[in-house]
Amino acid sequence: MYSLVGLRNFDWLIFLVTCLLLTTGFLFVWSASSESFAFKQIIWIGVGVVVFSVLLIVDYYSIGKISYILYLIVLFCLCLVLLFGKTVYGAQRWLMVGPISIQPSEMMKIVLVLVVSRYFVDKKSLEGFSGVFFPLALTLLPMALIMKQPDLGTSLILLPVLFSIMFIAGVRTRYMITITVIALSTIPLFWYFVLKGYQKARIVSFLWPDTVNSWGAGYHRMQSLIAIGSGGSFGSGWGKGIQSQLNFLPQGHTDFIFSVITEEWGFYRSCALLCLYVLFLACSIGIAVNTRDPYGRLIVTGFTAMFAAQILINIAMTIGLAPITGLPLPFISYGGSSLVTSFIALSFIFNVRMRNKVALAKDGFYE
Amino acid sequence: MQKKRFKIFFGTIAVLFFVILCKLFYIQMIEGGKFSGISNNKRIRTVGIDTLRGTIYDRNGLVLAVDKHSFELTVMYKKLFNAYSCFNQNILPEVSEGRKQGKYHNLCSGCHIDKVMWVEKVAELLDIPYTDIFDKATKIVKKVENIKQAVERKNKRKIRIREETIPHSIASHIPWEKVAKFEVEMLNLPGIQIETNPVRWYPQGDMSSHVIGYVGKLGNGEIQNYNFKKRWFDNLKKSGESESEFFTQKAISMDALIGKSGIEKTYNSSLMGIPGERFEEVTLDTMRVDKLILERPSIPGNNIFLTIDSRIQGIAEKALGNKKGSVIVMDPWNGEVIAIASFPRYNLNTLNADYTALSKNPLKPFLNRPIQSVLPPGSTFKIVTAIAALEENKIDENTHFSCYGSLKVGNIRFRCLTKYGHGLLNVEEAMQYSCNVFFFETAKILGGKLLEKWAKNFGLGNTTDIDLAYEKKGNIPKSRSFSQTINLSIGQGAMLVTPIQMARMIATIANGGWHTKPHILRKISDYKGNTLASNKYELTEKIDISEKNMNIIQHSLRKVVTSGTARKVGLKELHVAGKTGTTQTARENENHAWFVGYAPFEKPKYCFVVVVEHTEGHGAEIAGPIVKKLLIQIGI
């Protein structure tokens, strides 16, 4: 199981795309903040690559076997965060283990994909509504915990992940529609009991931009739109964006990095960036389609959905199509835990691709 | 079926990406002109809005320090630059001369006249010669050009720096009448504005100046170490405005005023408000404000209420007069410092002008003596020695030692106050007459270790953690030799304490053995008047002293006043109990005169410490009358 035999199946196309994305990220973290942040980004990429390589050696199937245990551990960590977590920017998201701070909500995204896929693979028949409840519970529990931190963005990412795995696993469309309807009907409850004042303000400012005058609620949206709009077709050039260089745009190197890219690179090159992302997603879906192992297929689907949701929500937020939630852009935004998480997910995708041919062969078959 | 579902899955993602692409196309290519218009021709300018620093009140609500508005005349940099260049070409006198005589001057075609006309107008309105304004303009332009050059050198390209787009102040402290005149003329003077600027003002002048402290800008070294974020989160927790979290860096600008000493320093984070910001759209060539985009109002700082009572503080300062030293009056039951006087002082309102003279003054006016001057406690330390010996059962109230005027230990002869000795006396009488020999004998039995332990029990030689900056620690030395122990027993030698430590010690005696923590903060309230925090200290920790021994000490302290060393001062009628102390200094004929005590002795209301440093007389003669003046005027 620790064989490196699959290396011949290494997917160079996704690898190349990822490298391009990382380079773009490095350039614009530099542009939007400073050299020191860019340097730290390089260090995090290094850490990510190490994690990526180490995970590549291990067979994803053997990790899948212990996925329930991993799930419980991360769930426990999420509870710990609420009790002892470090508070940064008003949210309690980090768990301090010695000098390292861990963000269990990021780990949850990975583990949820593993555990829900495991469930659907083990399940013999998908007939009946009851089969859907368990994975739903598996998702809602961590969602509630993450929402409590509060981290609305990350907790909402779990939903598309669950749905796409369910969809590909073959759950009846009827059931999924029923769940969606029930979920939508609970929205008023959320509005009154769960959402915090600033979150409501963000949603209101998104739905009715003209009504909001209060400081802050509409500020991000407006600055981001000005930044993107002033980019035009070719942009103002790297390091010359007025909005980002003069610090009008808050969080330029993390959540709003796409605005910086569009301002400085213009429409055509940001289109190219979007195409890179589509290519990335298409390739990973290709891996899911081509693999013979049902478990591998489901986890690749889950991770693809995770990436897709993050990319889409982040960009939609910067261009004013979605309310503002703090989600990073995978492989581009500055930030250690999001980079490492992305690398872990990427590693699983590669893992499935590398082992799909030997899935049915015994260990040592090739030796 | 799965193939189909994968197609739907990818299809959904593709459609969503397409939607995003369309929106991006719409913003960048179709609406793009609108937005790039905003960021190219018109520049959005951020203007900081000053906030008010919190007010400091005394316990009765009398204002000790407050931010007062002062009016300032600001001029756009572009105008200053024009004036500067005209002035340098020496064309100004002719132009203005020409205008005065009503002639049209051909020399520099119209434009120059308009460009410097504002100078004449402003000079006329302010009633100052216009050369002053040019001097000011030259100074500002040179400064800004310097910064610009430095920035450009660093970035190796042409840069428009922030200083070029903002107004600069050319005159401050403009009186009301002139401001009114300006308001009328304002429309004819584009680019010139009257702005209000907060200035710290101390209505009480030099009263309790050390406690209030002063404010100043951050030094170069401090800027790097200043924890900007920490302060921000303090406020965030209280107001719950998570949205503002993104403006962390701007919370304190480089030239914000920071508390440098006293209360201003200790509670700086509470006192500082959060500056506001205004986003204006300006046209680049005229620098005129087109539109106000956003305004985040500033939040004034929190107000601080002190435990200081200005009336008593005034009395204490007057009673101390111009003797170098300190007076502390404290409530022994909760540690509230009611007055804390130090001499010499400085006047906070004129501090900037006096600074050089003050810092050269040999009396060191910047020293906050009650917490910063470390002195040997002298005979006042005998209280501790007596308690230690009684509590450790080395002596009791009936133990008598005889005093023959001196005690010889080894080769050294330790002297008592009187040449002929006090004869046979017990602990009460020894305290009463401040007999050294009795305490030498006690120290012999007690030993240095226990003495040190009890001094530490009372918190001597350790900071009291009073909420004032730069408190000194003092020192309780480890006794290495027998003669050293003997010296320590009467508070001489290397033992050093601050007056506030003595105040805490005597408070413990006055309240029957409870630890107190001297403090000056009473409560903090926000600018709307809601109390955010109040400092209520309760006595919780007790030093283990038996009631009987405490009684002995309290009675002997009373006897000091009625028939002991301080009997001639006339404190008997004021119900005082206390102990005098005279500490020899290295110099001949120079003592520190101490008086620690409390009143009324039946049910103590105040405890006090009076120290006069480097004086000629004894404790009772010098410090005694100060106590008398103090208590008579407070009214006990």
Side-chain angles (χ1 to χ4, degrees):
Chain A
M1 95 191 210
Y2 295 106
S3 70
L4 283 170
V5 74
L7 260 183
R8 71 187 67 162
N9 288 325
F10 196 80
D11 196 326
W12 291 104
L13 183 59
I14 300 195
F15 185 73
L16 183 71
V17 171
T18 315
C19 286
L20 285 175
L21 290 173
L22 287 170
T23 316
T24 318
F26 167 72
L27 281 178
F28 282 95
V29 166
W30 188 342
S31 162
S33 51
S34 64
E35 287 167 55
S36 70
F37 275 93
F39 181 68
K40 279 186 201 157
Q41 179 83 340
I42 292 256
I43 292 176
W44 279 116
I45 291 174
V47 173
V49 169
V50 170
V51 172
F52 173 81
S53 318
V54 169
L55 279 175
L56 221 48
I57 299 169
V58 189
D59 189 350
Y60 68 92
Y61 217 88
S62 56
I63 300 178
K65 275 177 194 155
I66 54 164
S67 60
Y68 281 101
I69 300 168
L70 288 178
Y71 178 81
L72 287 178
I73 292 173
V74 178
L75 202 63
F76 181 64
C77 287
L78 277 177
C79 298
L80 282 186
V81 163
L82 287 181
L83 293 175
F84 311 110
K86 190 176 76 163
T87 308
V88 175
Y89 282 153
Q92 212 168 9
R93 296 178 189 171
W94 280 267
L95 200 60
M96 300 299 295
V97 183
I100 316 161
S101 54
I102 303 172
Q103 210 176 343
S105 51
E106 291 285 334
M107 292 296 118
M108 198 65 210
K109 293 195 282 199
I110 306 279
V111 175
L112 187 80
V113 171
L114 296 178
V115 81
V116 172
S117 306
R118 182 81 249 162
Y119 172 81
F120 279 114
V121 169
D122 290 347
K123 184 107 178 142
K124 292 287 177 298
S125 114
L126 284 167
E127 293 301 310
F129 200 70
S130 59
V132 186
F133 273 123
F134 188 62
L136 200 60
L138 282 181
T139 316
L140 290 181
L141 197 60
M143 263 184 82
L145 288 172
I146 296 172
M147 219 175 271
K148 193 95 182 48
Q149 290 180 355
D151 186 352
L152 196 60
T154 309
S155 78
L156 285 183
I157 283 291
L158 301 183
L159 276 182
V161 170
L162 170 75
F163 269 71
S164 44
I165 294 177
M166 269 166 42
F167 187 65
I168 298 299
V171 174
R172 286 194 176 177
T173 333
R174 213 173 42 206
Y175 296 157
M176 294 178 60
I177 292 171
T178 319
I179 295 173
T180 317
V181 170
I182 295 173
L184 287 178
S185 61
T186 58
I187 283 182
L189 287 177
F190 267 82
W191 184 266
Y192 288 111
F193 296 114
V194 180
L195 290 186
K196 300 217 170 356
Y198 73 97
Q199 290 170 334
K200 285 185 200 172
R202 283 173 179 180
I203 292 171
V204 169
S205 77
F206 163 67
L207 291 175
W208 301 281
D210 301 335
T211 57
V212 180
N213 294 323
S214 84
W215 169 260
Y219 178 82
H220 284 128
R221 215 181 102 86
M222 201 194 65
Q223 293 298 342
S224 174
L225 282 180
I226 293 177
I228 295 172
S230 57
S233 26
F234 294 103
S236 52
W238 182 80
K240 288 177 189 157
I242 290 171
Q243 287 287 307
S244 40
Q245 298 304 318
L246 297 180
N247 287 329
F248 284 116
L249 190 74
Q251 306 289 74
H253 60 298
T254 57
D255 295 353
F256 282 86
I257 198 160
F258 189 73
S259 316
V260 181
I261 297 176
T262 45
E263 187 190 11
E264 301 188 350
W265 263 8
F267 177 69
Y268 296 122
R269 275 175 281 190
S270 7
C271 275
L273 184 71
L274 286 183
C275 290
L276 273 186
Y277 269 130
V278 175
L279 185 63
F280 176 85
L281 296 173
C283 284
S284 58
I285 290 177
I287 291 172
V289 173
N290 288 329
T291 185
R292 292 182 209 166
D293 170 33
Y295 183 61
R297 182 173 301 147
L298 287 186
I299 62 171
V300 173
T301 310
F303 288 129
T304 313
M306 183 187 97
F307 280 127
Q310 280 200 33
I311 297 162
L312 286 168
I313 293 179
N314 179 282
I315 297 180
M317 153 187 110
T318 56
I319 63 176
L321 274 179
I324 288 165
T325 47
L327 271 182
L329 196 58
F331 298 115
I332 291 191
S333 283
Y334 172 79
S337 35
S338 93
L339 258 180
V340 172
T341 315
S342 302
F343 269 111
I344 294 174
L346 188 71
S347 171
F348 275 101
I349 294 175
F350 271 78
N351 215 324
V352 172
R353 155 92 173 138
M354 279 164 54
R355 290 185 167 79
N356 71 15
K357 297 270 164 48
V358 291
L360 298 175
K362 287 179 179 168
D363 279 350
F365 182 83
Y366 282 94
E367 281 158 17
Chain B
M1 189 182 83
Q2 239 174 5
K3 272 266 157 63
K4 195 181 137 205
R5 289 204 163 189
F6 266 117
K7 275 179 193 162
I8 297 172
F9 181 49
F10 184 68
T12 321
I13 294 178
V15 166
L16 288 172
F17 264 97
F18 186 69
V19 170
I20 282 181
L21 203 67
C22 290
K23 174 79 177 177
L24 198 62
F25 179 77
Y26 179 71
I27 301 176
Q28 292 207 285
M29 307 300 277
I30 297 174
E31 272 198 324
K34 184 174 114 191
F35 286 116
S36 65
I38 290 179
S39 69
N40 283 340
N41 291 334
K42 294 170 182 178
R43 182 65 58 83
I44 295 174
R45 182 177 74 187
T46 9
V47 182
I49 305 173
D50 282 323
T51 174
L52 290 178
R53 209 177 154 81
T55 309
I56 301 178
Y57 297 96
D58 81 339
R59 70 185 299 131
N60 306 322
L62 192 77
V63 176
L64 296 179
V66 67
D67 259 10
K68 185 173 79 161
H69 278 296
S70 106
F71 292 100
E72 217 179 30
L73 187 74
T74 61
V75 180
M76 276 296 168
Y77 181 72
K78 197 158 185 176
K79 282 184 166 287
L80 287 173
F81 190 81
N82 285 338
Y84 162 75
S85 54
C86 280
F87 187 57
N88 264 8
Q89 288 161 30
N90 249 340
I91 46 172
L92 177 90
E94 292 149 76
V95 174
S96 55
E97 204 86 334
R99 289 193 69 84
K100 256 179 206 159
Q101 290 159 22
K103 284 187 227 155
Y104 179 67
H105 207 285
N106 246 345
L107 187 71
C108 51
S109 59
C111 67
H112 277 311
I113 296 177
D114 280 333
K115 277 183 177 172
V116 292
M117 220 179 71
W118 67 270
V119 179
E120 266 183 81
K121 267 249 168 78
V122 169
E124 192 188 307
L125 284 171
L126 281 180
D127 205 13
I128 53 171
Y130 57 72
T131 46
D132 280 15
I133 297 175
F134 282 113
D135 287 348
K136 204 94 193 192
T138 313
K139 240 185 229 165
I140 293 168
V141 169
K142 279 198 174 140
K143 194 173 139 202
V144 172
E145 288 299 309
N146 273 339
I147 299 173
K148 193 179 159 99
Q149 274 166 23
V151 172
E152 282 180 351
R153 216 177 302 134
K154 205 173 163 193
N155 289 311
K156 297 190 182 95
R157 59 182 160 124
K158 277 227 169 281
I159 284 180
R160 195 183 188 98
I161 57 170
R162 194 173 159 270
E163 275 76 10
E164 283 179 276
T165 58
I166 56 169
H168 292 262
S169 150
I170 59 164
S172 47
H173 300 286
I174 304 172
W176 249 109
E177 311 83 58
K178 286 181 184 169
V179 171
K181 263 198 232 164
F182 260 107
E183 291 293 336
V184 176
E185 293 279 333
M186 207 52 96
L187 273 181
N188 304 329
L189 294 167
I192 293 172
Q193 274 178 323
I194 293 279
E195 280 183 10
T196 52
N197 212 9
V199 171
R200 203 80 173 143
W201 184 56
Y202 307 90
Q204 312 298 328
D206 72 345
M207 184 197 275
S208 54
S209 50
H210 287 105
V211 177
I212 299 168
Y214 48 91
V215 291
K217 288 181 186 172
L218 280 177
N220 279 336
E222 283 167 303
I223 285 175
Q224 277 152 23
N225 296 329
Y226 201 80
N227 198 342
F228 290 93
K229 278 194 176 163
K230 181 177 166 285
R231 197 198 82 79
W232 183 265
F233 285 114
D234 289 351
N235 273 314
L236 199 67
K237 260 180 231 150
K238 280 168 208 152
S239 58
E241 284 173 73
S242 310
E243 199 61 49
S244 321
E245 72 204 25
F246 299 107
F247 303 95
T248 316
Q249 299 298 329
K250 293 176 186 167
I252 299 179
S253 59
M254 300 269 269
D255 39 42
L257 291 176
I258 308 288
K260 292 282 189 180
S261 80
I263 288 292
E264 297 266 32
K265 183 180 167 74
T266 323
Y267 295 107
N268 183 45
S269 61
S270 293
L271 283 165
M272 278 188 75
I274 302 170
E277 257 179 329
R278 194 167 59 218
F279 288 72
E280 295 167 342
E281 213 178 273
V282 288
T283 322
L284 275 187
D285 20 317
T286 57
M287 279 297 161
R288 202 173 281 187
V289 178
D290 280 357
K291 201 171 90 183
L292 181 71
I293 294 176
L294 268 176
E295 184 170 310
R296 180 171 57 118
S298 59
I299 304 170
N302 299 327
N303 297 332
I304 297 245
F305 287 79
L306 303 184
T307 58
I308 301 280
D309 186 327
S310 285
R311 185 181 73 92
I312 299 179
Q313 174 79 18
I315 294 168
E317 286 179 2
K318 218 179 275 168
L320 184 61
N322 50 8
K323 298 190 191 74
K324 187 169 84 173
S326 36
V327 174
I328 301 170
V329 180
M330 195 168 98
D331 186 328
W333 299 101
N334 53 18
E336 287 184 357
V337 176
I338 293 159
I340 179 163
S342 174
F343 188 88
R345 284 181 296 278
Y346 46 89
N347 190 334
L348 289 164
N349 287 323
T350 55
L351 185 64
N352 278 338
D354 302 346
Y355 190 83
T356 18
L358 285 171
S359 54
K360 279 179 190 155
N361 191 328
L363 293 176
K364 293 184 186 162
F366 284 116
L367 206 63
N368 187 3
R369 292 180 188 276
I371 64 162
Q372 285 180 323
S373 89
V374 284
L375 308 163
S379 302
T380 53
F381 186 76
K382 286 174 186 165
I383 300 172
V384 177
T385 314
I387 288 186
L390 287 167
E391 272 300 305
E392 300 289 341
N393 287 325
K394 302 290 184 195
I395 57 169
D396 61 20
E397 69 273 27
N398 297 322
T399 313
H400 284 73
F401 292 113
S402 48
C403 166
Y404 304 111
S406 63
L407 185 75
K408 199 169 173 187
V409 179
N411 294 325
I412 316 165
R413 186 170 286 278
F414 294 93
R415 295 191 178 281
C416 195
L417 289 176
T418 52
K419 209 171 173 183
Y420 307 106
H422 295 99
L424 207 60
L425 26 64
N426 67 0
V427 62
E428 259 183 58
E429 288 157 337
M431 286 279 275
Q432 190 178 330
Y433 300 112
S434 201
C435 170
N436 286 350
V437 172
F438 179 90
F439 288 96
F440 296 154
E441 298 278 3
T442 312
K444 259 193 203 167
I445 328 171
L446 191 61
K449 272 232 174 73
L450 286 175
L451 203 58
E452 190 191 326
K453 177 190 141 198
W454 276 90
K456 293 219 162 118
N457 266 357
F458 279 98
L460 299 176
N462 207 342
T463 50
T464 60
D465 292 326
I466 189 172
D467 34 7
L468 286 174
Y470 310 121
E471 189 186 353
K472 286 270 171 59
K473 202 175 163 191
N475 177 32
I476 298 293
K478 280 201 163 47
S479 152
R480 283 198 194 77
S481 68
F482 190 58
S483 57
Q484 227 172 351
T485 312
I486 281 184
N487 249 333
L488 290 185
S489 71
I490 57 161
Q492 295 278 13
M495 180 183 285
L496 293 171
V497 297
T498 57
I500 191 77
Q501 287 170 15
M502 290 312 280
R504 180 164 72 166
M505 189 272 280
I506 198 68
T508 308
I509 305 288
N511 63 24
W514 295 93
H515 268 301
T516 54
K517 184 173 175 295
H519 59 265
I520 288 191
L521 177 80
R522 189 132 167 276
K523 66 172 185 185
I524 302 178
S525 70
D526 66 5
Y527 69 103
K528 289 173 195 150
N530 306 323
T531 305
L532 297 177
S534 52
N535 196 358
K536 284 215 180 71
Y537 184 82
E538 271 165 30
L539 303 174
T540 49
E541 226 183 300
K542 200 172 178 192
I543 303 181
D544 196 18
I545 300 171
S546 73
E547 210 164 304
K548 188 184 115 199
N549 292 339
M550 194 51 113
N551 263 334
I552 296 173
I553 297 297
Q554 285 172 346
H555 273 107
S556 59
L557 289 181
R558 174 63 181 157
K559 275 192 181 155
V560 169
V561 175
T562 51
S563 53
T565 46
R567 65 183 179 280
K568 287 177 193 159
V569 185
L571 293 170
K572 186 181 169 189
E573 293 73 23
L574 290 165
H575 302 266
V576 175
K579 180 82 191 74
T580 59
T582 313
T583 327
Q584 275 100 44
T585 59
R587 266 175 274 174
E588 191 88 4
N589 285 336
E590 270 199 6
N591 303 325
H592 303 309
W594 286 82
F595 194 105
V596 302
Y598 53 91
F601 77 97
E602 305 91 346
K603 196 181 181 317
K605 195 174 167 198
Y606 302 108
C607 62
F608 47 83
V609 172
V610 174
V611 200
V612 179
E613 297 173 24
H614 300 288
T615 175
E616 280 183 12
H618 285 261
E621 307 163 10
I622 302 291
I626 296 178
V627 174
K628 189 178 166 190
K629 256 190 236 169
L630 184 74
L631 291 179
I632 286 176
Q633 287 184 60
I634 292 175
I636 285 197

